[in-house]
Amino acid sequence: MKLYAGCFLKMEASLPTPTILMLRPRSGGGQFVLSEEYIMEPHVAVSEYTDSYGNFCQRLIIPSGTFSIKTRTCVETIDEIDVDFSAELVPAEDIPEEILSFLLPSRYCQSDLLGHMALEIVEGYPQGYEQVEAIRAWIRKNIVYEYGTSDVSTSALDTARTRTGVCRDFSHLGISLCRSLNIPARMVVGYLYDLKPMDLHAWFEAYLGGRWYIFDATQEKPVGKRISIAYGRDAADVALATHFGLVNLLEMNVWANDTPQE
Amino acid sequence: MKLYAGCFLKMEASLPTPTILMLRPRSGGGQFVLSEEYIMEPHVAVSEYTDSYGNFCQRLIIPSGTFSIKTRTCVETIDEIDVDFSAELVPAEDIPEEILSFLLPSRYCQSDLLGHMALEIVEGYPQGYEQVEAIRAWIRKNIVYEYGTSDVSTSALDTARTRTGVCRDFSHLGISLCRSLNIPARMVVGYLYDLKPMDLHAWFEAYLGGRWYIFDATQEKPVGKRISIAYGRDAADVALATHFGLVNLLEMNVWANDTPQE
Amino acid sequence: MKLYAGCFLKMEASLPTPTILMLRPRSGGGQFVLSEEYIMEPHVAVSEYTDSYGNFCQRLIIPSGTFSIKTRTCVETIDEIDVDFSAELVPAEDIPEEILSFLLPSRYCQSDLLGHMALEIVEGYPQGYEQVEAIRAWIRKNIVYEYGTSDVSTSALDTARTRTGVCRDFSHLGISLCRSLNIPARMVVGYLYDLKPMDLHAWFEAYLGGRWYIFDATQEKPVGKRISIAYGRDAADVALATHFGLVNLLEMNVWANDTPQE
Amino acid sequence: MKLYAGCFLKMEASLPTPTILMLRPRSGGGQFVLSEEYIMEPHVAVSEYTDSYGNFCQRLIIPSGTFSIKTRTCVETIDEIDVDFSAELVPAEDIPEEILSFLLPSRYCQSDLLGHMALEIVEGYPQGYEQVEAIRAWIRKNIVYEYGTSDVSTSALDTARTRTGVCRDFSHLGISLCRSLNIPARMVVGYLYDLKPMDLHAWFEAYLGGRWYIFDATQEKPVGKRISIAYGRDAADVALATHFGLVNLLEMNVWANDTPQE
C-alpha cells in the first residue's frame, strides 16, 4: 500500500544547540520512498550523512528561539510482513560478517545475562523462526504495555524484572532473548499505520534463514504497513533526536495514514 | 535558492530488462533535499543501494511495454559556487586516504598520458586553485562545444585531439589534466538552473585546500544553482541509466527552475 | 622501540566449535607491524575479515580435541604516549561523523547514568585533556585494582559502586565518564611492555583536539610501549575469543618484551 | 601448500618522495597469512590503510639517499585453483551490489569497445564458466607473450590490436572481454610459485555462480600456489609502488618458493 506518514516537531532552545536527527526514511528492505519532504522553520544549514547502519542522519544547529521541523513521506510498503515458520536458525559459522555485531550485548540489551530466561521460553520449540515467535508471543502475553513505567534508561534486564514497559522495552527484551540464543537481532524505529495512540513506534527484526524478519511484540497479528526510519543495535543507536544541549519539545505530532495529510 | 528540478523518462522494452538508475539526489556538499518524488508508471519493485561513492542507485527490472519514470526534487542550493584563488595544492602525502583514488587514471580520463599538455597549460600559474582555473579557462577557450562530435566512447585523449565535445567531454579533459598534476578530480552529473538547451549536465570538482571545489568549463562565470545527482571517477561511474538489455528511450524531459513544475 | 609480543593459547573442545578470534594487530595509530606469525596446531581453514572498527577477525571452527594457537609479532611502537594538556574538547558539532558513535552508551559503559559522577570529578578542571586526565587520575586513586572482584558481566555502573576491578573495569569507567561529558571515548585491548603480572591489557582512548589520546588508569605514568590489537565501544566489541560452543582454555601465555621470544 | 614469497626493493631518491606501496598480502579468498615481515632500511614512519578494494596500502615518505624494503611472507595457499565448468553466468539483476563496479569499463579495460571481439571468441560456448575459459584459452593461443612490446600505458584495446604483451596485458584483455559480456572481472597481482623468470605476476578473476574464479591466460594449466597481494578494476588500482616524485629502482628481487629464503 501507499503509506503517508510524517511528523511535526516544534522545539524551543535558549542557546544554539548542536543536534542530530534521524527523520528521513530510505528505500530498501521492503519499502520504497515515493516522495518525501523535510521542511525546517526557520531553514538552517544541515549536513546529512549515513551512519554505519545505513541510517540517514541530519546534523544541524538548532537556533535559539522556536524551531520546527515537518517531515512528510509517502512510501510503497508491504501490507503483510513475511511470516515463515520454516525459516531456520543460521549456524554461527554461516552468519555473514556484517551481521555478527547484532549478536553482541548492547546498552539496553544485556543478552549475556538473559540466556536462562530465553531457554525457558523457547523450551520445546524447534530452532529458528519458531523460537523467535515464541519469544515474541511470550513478551506480548507476559509484559504489560503501560506508559510511564519505563524511561530512557530502562534496559531489557529491567523489563525482564518489572514485566512492564512500552514498545521500546518490548523490543529490547525481544532482541536480548534472541541474541542470547545466537540469533542476530536488531532494533527498528519507524511508523506503523493506524497505531493507537499514534506515535513513533519501535519493533525488532531477527536474522533467520539468511534474511531479516520483522517481529512486533506489541501487536496481536503480523501486520505490515510500516515505514522503517532507522536500524541499530538498540535504542542508543536510533534516537530520532540527539541534542547536545537543552531543547524543549513544545509540540510533537505523528501520523501514518492511507491518505495524504496537510 | 530553492531549485526545483526533475526529469521524465519514457522507455520501451520488448523484454523485461534489468536496469540501474541514478536519479535521486542526496543531501550533502552544499545542497539539502527539501523534497523529492520518484514515480514509476507502472510501479515495479525497486531495491535501492548506495554505491562506493555514496550515490543512490535504484535497481529494478523494466517491464516489457512502455515504462516511465518521473522524478522531481526541490533542493536548497547555493547561488554562487565557492571561488578561492588562494586554495592550495594538497601535497600528495596529505591527501586523505579516501580521496587518493581520484588521482588515478580512469576509462575516460587518461591522466597518465596528458601530463605534458597540463604542464603547458598551467605554465606560469601558481600551484593550486589558480592552476585548475587555468585548466578550466583553457578548455572553455579552446574546446568547441558542439553536439554530435563525440559519443559515449569518447575519452579525454580524444577530446584533447579533436578539440570539440559536450559537457561530459569538457569534464573528462579537465579531470585528466588535474590528475596529471596530482590534483584529485572527480566527475559530477546533475542539474544546472537555466541551462540552455535544458538537459542533464556534467561538470567536475577538484580537491584543493582540504575540500572539493566546483569547476565548469562550459560556463562563462562561476554559477551555482546546481543539484548534484552523482559523483564518480568519470562518466563510467555515473551513468544515469544502465540497461542490461535493449531499452528504447521514447521521451526525455529535464527541468531545473526557480518554481515548481507540474 | 621494537616490541616483541605474542600469546599462546591451548584449548580443548569436545565438539567442533565456531569461533571468532582477534589476535592479529594491524599497523596504524602510532604502531607499524614489522613482522608477525599466526600458527595453529593443527592447521584449520580460517577466513579473515575486518570488522566495522577496522579490527582483524579470524573466523574458524576449532576442531574437537586439543587445539593451540601461537601468535607472535614485532611492532615498531612509541616509547612515550602523547600527553597534551592543551588538547581541547571538540565541540559536538565538529566531531567527525565516524567518531560520533563513541559518544553513545554501550553494554558496559552506561554513560547516560554517570553524568553526575563525571561532573563532580572534573569540577574545577578546564574542558578537554585536563578533564580526561582528571578522570584517569581519579580512577587510579579511587578504584582498587584487584583480581576476582569483577567478571565478564561487570559494567561501569557496577565499578562505580564497588570501586574495585581490573584493567577492563578501569577502562569502562573511564570511557563512561568521558562520554557523559560529550567526549568520545573507546576501548583498546593489546599488549603493554613489562606489565606485571604479564597478561593481555586494556586501556582507553579519548578524542580531543581532533585526534585520539591514550589514557591508562592502571598506570602511574603515561607509558607507551603498547601494541593495540583491537578497538571498540567497550569489551563487547573486542573479545579476543568468541566461542559459539564450549571450549576449555587449558593454557594461556602472553609476553611483551624488548627481545624476541621462542 | 606453504608458499614462502617476498620481494626486495632498493631505491634511490634525491628528494624525500611521498610514496604508496601495496606489498603486504592479507588473508582471505583461499589464502591465510601464516607469517610476514616488512623491513625498511632505514626505518621510516609508515601509515597503513585499507583501500576500497580491501588492499593494504603503506604510505610513507622515501628519504633522500638509498632506501630498501624487504617483505617476506609465508602463506597457506591452495595447490590447484578451482575449476568448475558448470559455474553459471550470474544474471545482471542478481549480481551483488558490491560486485557491480567490476562490470564497468576502466582505464586499461575498454570493455565498451570490445563486445564484438568477445562475441566472436565465445561463439558456440554455453554462458558462464565455459565462456570465460574460452576467452582465457583464446588469449593464451593468440597473444604472444613478449617483454618490451607493451608499457604502463598499454590498454586492452592496444593488446587486441598488437596481439602481444605480458601478464598485465593478458589480464586486461581477459577482463575487458568478460565485462563486455556482463561478467564481472577484476585484476589480481601477486606471487606465483615457480614462475619463470621469477617476477611479480598478474592474473584475473571472473565472478561466476556467486563467487570469484581465478583465470590465468599466461599458464598452460590451472595452477594454484599463488599469493594475491592486491585486487582492483585494472592495473591503475593495484600499482605495487606509486611515487609522487622521482625514485630510481636500483634493484628488485622477487621470490616464491616452497622453502624459506634468507
Side-chain angles (χ1 to χ4, degrees):
Chain A
M1 79 174 292
K2 277 190 178 56
L3 188 54
Y4 297 83
C7 67
F8 174 77
L9 302 172
K10 190 171 180 180
M11 294 166 267
E12 192 181 41
S14 48
L15 291 173
T17 308
T19 293
I20 299 171
L21 300 169
M22 290 194 202
L23 291 172
R24 176 120 65 183
R26 58 180 297 178
S27 299
Q31 72 184 20
F32 184 75
V33 177
L34 293 167
S35 71
E36 45 129 344
E37 211 172 38
Y38 198 112
I39 308 296
M40 289 164 282
E41 184 53 45
H43 182 76
V44 298
V46 183
S47 74
E48 193 163 33
Y49 66 95
T50 306
D51 71 12
S52 67
Y53 301 101
N55 304 312
F56 289 153
C57 305
Q58 299 88 41
R59 214 167 163 183
L60 64 161
I61 297 183
I62 290 183
S64 57
T66 42
F67 178 72
S68 69
I69 296 178
K70 185 174 190 175
T71 68
R72 295 200 294 185
T73 190
C74 175
V75 171
E76 184 69 44
T77 182
I78 46 176
D79 284 16
E80 302 287 329
I81 57 172
D82 291 339
V83 171
D84 180 0
F85 281 87
S86 70
E88 293 186 355
L89 177 78
V90 179
E93 63 269 32
D94 296 334
I95 297 172
E97 295 158 11
E98 66 276 16
I99 305 289
L100 284 167
S101 70
F102 293 105
L103 283 179
L104 298 175
S106 56
R107 169 63 183 92
Y108 300 108
C109 299
Q110 303 95 332
S111 48
D112 53 317
L113 299 175
L114 289 163
H116 287 293
M117 184 179 175
L119 286 174
E120 275 178 34
I121 292 172
V122 303
E123 205 192 336
Y125 290 92
Q127 283 191 326
Y129 192 97
E130 294 218 33
Q131 286 188 338
V132 181
E133 173 55 23
I135 287 169
R136 194 201 68 82
W138 186 94
I139 294 171
R140 169 140 181 87
K141 189 175 162 201
N142 292 282
I143 308 294
V144 179
Y145 192 99
E146 195 177 346
Y147 281 98
T149 61
S150 63
D151 61 26
V152 293
S153 74
T154 306
S155 71
L157 204 58
D158 299 325
T159 307
R161 201 184 62 246
T162 64
R163 307 234 162 161
T164 176
V166 295
C167 60
R168 164 194 164 108
D169 307 301
F170 281 46
S171 303
H172 283 155
L173 186 52
I175 291 166
S176 305
L177 295 169
C178 286
R179 289 184 191 163
S180 75
L181 301 170
N182 288 334
I183 300 169
R186 66 180 179 183
M187 181 95 170
V188 193
V189 294
Y191 300 103
L192 174 61
Y193 174 64
D194 207 27
L195 182 65
K196 283 175 184 143
M198 180 50 70
D199 202 347
L200 286 162
H201 190 50
W203 57 90
F204 71 102
E205 295 187 351
Y207 189 81
L208 296 161
R211 51 159 287 195
W212 292 101
Y213 285 89
I214 290 171
F215 293 88
D216 187 341
T218 69
Q219 300 296 305
E220 188 66 45
K221 295 192 176 162
V223 292
K225 303 178 181 174
R226 291 163 191 273
I227 298 175
S228 306
I229 300 177
Y231 297 89
R233 289 198 200 171
D234 63 22
D237 289 328
V238 295
L240 295 180
T242 305
H243 303 295
F244 297 95
L246 207 63
V247 173
N248 287 325
L249 185 61
L250 300 180
E251 195 183 329
M252 177 169 179
N253 236 304
V254 178
W255 62 95
N257 301 317
D258 50 9
T259 52
Q261 166 152 343
E262 264 331 286
Chain B
M1 79 176 291
K2 276 192 180 56
L3 187 55
Y4 297 83
C7 67
F8 174 76
L9 302 172
K10 191 171 180 179
M11 294 165 266
E12 191 180 44
S14 49
L15 291 172
T17 307
T19 293
I20 299 172
L21 299 170
M22 289 194 202
L23 293 172
R24 177 123 62 186
R26 60 179 298 178
S27 299
Q31 70 184 22
F32 184 74
V33 177
L34 293 168
S35 72
E36 46 129 344
E37 210 172 39
Y38 198 113
I39 308 296
M40 290 162 282
E41 182 55 44
H43 183 76
V44 298
V46 183
S47 76
E48 194 163 31
Y49 67 95
T50 305
D51 71 13
S52 67
Y53 302 102
N55 303 312
F56 289 154
C57 306
Q58 299 88 41
R59 215 169 163 182
L60 65 159
I61 297 183
I62 290 183
S64 55
T66 42
F67 178 72
S68 69
I69 297 178
K70 185 174 190 176
T71 66
R72 295 201 294 185
T73 190
C74 174
V75 171
E76 184 68 43
T77 183
I78 45 176
D79 285 15
E80 303 286 331
I81 56 172
D82 290 340
V83 170
D84 181 358
F85 280 87
S86 70
E88 294 186 355
L89 175 78
V90 181
E93 63 270 32
D94 295 334
I95 297 173
E97 296 159 8
E98 66 276 15
I99 305 287
L100 285 168
S101 70
F102 293 106
L103 282 180
L104 299 174
S106 56
R107 170 62 184 91
Y108 300 108
C109 299
Q110 301 98 329
S111 48
D112 51 317
L113 299 175
L114 290 163
H116 287 294
M117 184 177 175
L119 288 175
E120 276 177 34
I121 293 172
V122 303
E123 205 192 334
Y125 290 93
Q127 284 192 325
Y129 192 95
E130 293 219 33
Q131 287 187 334
V132 182
E133 174 55 23
I135 287 170
R136 194 202 68 82
W138 187 94
I139 294 172
R140 170 139 181 87
K141 188 175 163 199
N142 293 283
I143 308 292
V144 179
Y145 192 99
E146 193 176 351
Y147 280 97
T149 61
S150 63
D151 62 24
V152 293
S153 75
T154 305
S155 71
L157 205 56
D158 299 325
T159 306
R161 204 184 59 246
T162 64
R163 306 233 161 161
T164 175
V166 295
C167 60
R168 163 193 164 110
D169 307 301
F170 281 45
S171 303
H172 283 155
L173 186 53
I175 292 167
S176 305
L177 295 169
C178 286
R179 289 185 191 162
S180 75
L181 301 171
N182 289 333
I183 300 169
R186 65 181 180 183
M187 180 95 168
V188 192
V189 293
Y191 301 104
L192 174 61
Y193 173 64
D194 206 26
L195 182 65
K196 281 172 185 148
M198 181 47 72
D199 201 348
L200 286 162
H201 190 50
W203 60 89
F204 72 101
E205 293 187 352
Y207 189 81
L208 296 161
R211 51 159 287 195
W212 292 101
Y213 285 89
I214 291 172
F215 292 88
D216 187 340
T218 70
Q219 300 297 304
E220 188 66 43
K221 296 191 176 163
V223 291
K225 304 178 181 174
R226 294 162 189 274
I227 299 175
S228 307
I229 301 176
Y231 297 89
R233 289 198 201 171
D234 63 23
D237 289 328
V238 295
L240 295 181
T242 306
H243 304 295
F244 296 96
L246 208 63
V247 173
N248 288 323
L249 185 62
L250 301 179
E251 196 184 329
M252 179 167 177
N253 234 306
V254 178
W255 62 94
N257 300 317
D258 50 8
T259 53
Q261 165 152 340
E262 263 329 285
Chain C
M1 80 175 291
K2 278 190 178 58
L3 187 56
Y4 297 84
C7 69
F8 174 77
L9 302 172
K10 190 171 181 178
M11 294 166 266
E12 191 180 44
S14 48
L15 291 171
T17 307
T19 293
I20 298 171
L21 300 169
M22 288 193 202
L23 292 172
R24 177 122 61 185
R26 60 178 298 178
S27 299
Q31 70 184 21
F32 184 74
V33 177
L34 294 167
S35 71
E36 45 129 345
E37 209 173 41
Y38 199 110
I39 308 297
M40 290 163 281
E41 184 55 44
H43 183 76
V44 298
V46 183
S47 75
E48 194 163 32
Y49 66 95
T50 305
D51 71 13
S52 67
Y53 301 102
N55 302 312
F56 290 154
C57 305
Q58 299 87 42
R59 216 167 162 184
L60 64 160
I61 299 182
I62 290 183
S64 56
T66 43
F67 177 72
S68 69
I69 295 178
K70 185 174 189 175
T71 67
R72 295 200 294 185
T73 190
C74 174
V75 170
E76 184 70 41
T77 183
I78 44 175
D79 284 17
E80 302 286 331
I81 57 171
D82 291 340
V83 171
D84 179 0
F85 279 87
S86 70
E88 293 186 356
L89 177 77
V90 180
E93 64 270 32
D94 296 333
I95 297 173
E97 297 158 8
E98 67 275 17
I99 305 288
L100 285 168
S101 70
F102 294 105
L103 283 180
L104 299 174
S106 56
R107 169 63 183 91
Y108 300 107
C109 298
Q110 302 98 332
S111 48
D112 52 317
L113 300 175
L114 290 164
H116 287 293
M117 185 177 174
L119 287 175
E120 276 178 35
I121 292 173
V122 303
E123 205 192 334
Y125 289 93
Q127 284 191 325
Y129 193 96
E130 294 218 35
Q131 286 188 335
V132 182
E133 174 54 22
I135 288 169
R136 193 202 69 81
W138 187 94
I139 294 172
R140 169 138 181 89
K141 187 175 163 198
N142 293 283
I143 308 293
V144 179
Y145 193 99
E146 192 175 351
Y147 281 98
T149 61
S150 62
D151 61 25
V152 293
S153 74
T154 305
S155 72
L157 205 56
D158 299 324
T159 306
R161 203 183 61 244
T162 65
R163 307 235 159 159
T164 174
V166 295
C167 59
R168 163 193 165 109
D169 307 302
F170 281 46
S171 303
H172 284 155
L173 186 53
I175 291 166
S176 306
L177 295 168
C178 287
R179 290 184 190 162
S180 75
L181 301 171
N182 288 335
I183 300 169
R186 65 181 181 183
M187 180 94 168
V188 192
V189 294
Y191 300 103
L192 174 60
Y193 173 65
D194 206 27
L195 183 65
K196 281 172 186 146
M198 180 48 70
D199 202 348
L200 285 162
H201 190 50
W203 58 91
F204 72 102
E205 294 186 352
Y207 188 81
L208 296 161
R211 51 159 288 196
W212 292 101
Y213 285 88
I214 292 171
F215 292 88
D216 187 341
T218 70
Q219 300 295 306
E220 188 66 44
K221 295 191 176 163
V223 291
K225 304 178 181 177
R226 293 162 190 275
I227 298 175
S228 306
I229 300 177
Y231 297 89
R233 287 199 202 170
D234 64 21
D237 289 327
V238 295
L240 296 179
T242 305
H243 304 295
F244 297 96
L246 207 62
V247 172
N248 287 324
L249 185 60
L250 301 179
E251 196 184 329
M252 178 168 180
N253 235 304
V254 177
W255 62 95
N257 300 317
D258 50 7
T259 52
Q261 165 152 341
E262 264 329 285
Chain D
M1 78 175 292
K2 277 190 178 57
L3 186 55
Y4 297 85
C7 69
F8 174 78
L9 301 172
K10 191 171 179 179
M11 293 166 267
E12 193 180 42
S14 48
L15 292 171
T17 308
T19 293
I20 299 171
L21 301 169
M22 290 194 200
L23 293 171
R24 177 120 64 183
R26 58 179 297 178
S27 300
Q31 72 184 21
F32 183 74
V33 177
L34 294 168
S35 72
E36 44 128 345
E37 210 173 39
Y38 198 111
I39 308 297
M40 288 163 283
E41 184 53 44
H43 183 76
V44 298
V46 183
S47 75
E48 194 164 32
Y49 67 96
T50 306
D51 70 14
S52 67
Y53 302 101
N55 303 311
F56 289 152
C57 305
Q58 298 88 42
R59 213 167 165 185
L60 65 160
I61 297 182
I62 290 184
S64 56
T66 44
F67 178 71
S68 69
I69 296 178
K70 186 174 190 175
T71 68
R72 294 200 295 184
T73 189
C74 174
V75 171
E76 185 68 43
T77 182
I78 46 175
D79 285 16
E80 303 286 331
I81 57 173
D82 289 340
V83 170
D84 180 359
F85 280 88
S86 70
E88 295 186 353
L89 177 79
V90 180
E93 63 270 33
D94 296 335
I95 297 174
E97 295 157 9
E98 68 274 18
I99 305 288
L100 285 167
S101 70
F102 293 106
L103 284 179
L104 300 174
S106 56
R107 168 62 184 94
Y108 300 108
C109 299
Q110 302 97 332
S111 49
D112 52 318
L113 299 175
L114 289 164
H116 288 293
M117 184 179 176
L119 287 175
E120 275 177 35
I121 292 173
V122 303
E123 205 192 335
Y125 290 92
Q127 283 191 326
Y129 193 96
E130 294 219 34
Q131 286 188 337
V132 182
E133 174 54 22
I135 287 169
R136 193 202 68 82
W138 187 94
I139 294 171
R140 171 143 179 84
K141 189 174 162 201
N142 293 282
I143 308 293
V144 179
Y145 192 100
E146 194 176 347
Y147 280 98
T149 61
S150 62
D151 61 26
V152 293
S153 74
T154 305
S155 72
L157 205 57
D158 299 324
T159 307
R161 202 184 63 245
T162 64
R163 306 234 162 162
T164 175
V166 294
C167 59
R168 165 194 163 108
D169 307 301
F170 281 46
S171 303
H172 284 155
L173 186 53
I175 291 166
S176 305
L177 295 168
C178 287
R179 288 185 192 162
S180 74
L181 302 170
N182 288 334
I183 301 169
R186 66 180 178 183
M187 180 95 169
V188 193
V189 293
Y191 300 103
L192 174 60
Y193 173 64
D194 207 25
L195 181 65
K196 281 172 185 146
M198 180 50 70
D199 202 347
L200 286 162
H201 190 51
W203 58 91
F204 72 102
E205 294 188 351
Y207 189 81
L208 296 160
R211 50 159 288 196
W212 292 101
Y213 285 89
I214 291 172
F215 292 88
D216 188 339
T218 69
Q219 299 295 305
E220 187 66 47
K221 296 191 174 162
V223 292
K225 303 177 180 175
R226 291 164 193 275
I227 299 175
S228 307
I229 299 177
Y231 297 89
R233 289 198 199 170
D234 64 22
D237 289 328
V238 296
L240 296 180
T242 304
H243 303 295
F244 296 95
L246 206 64
V247 173
N248 288 323
L249 185 62
L250 301 180
E251 196 184 329
M252 178 169 179
N253 235 305
V254 178
W255 61 95
N257 300 317
D258 51 8
T259 52
Q261 165 151 341
E262 266 327 288

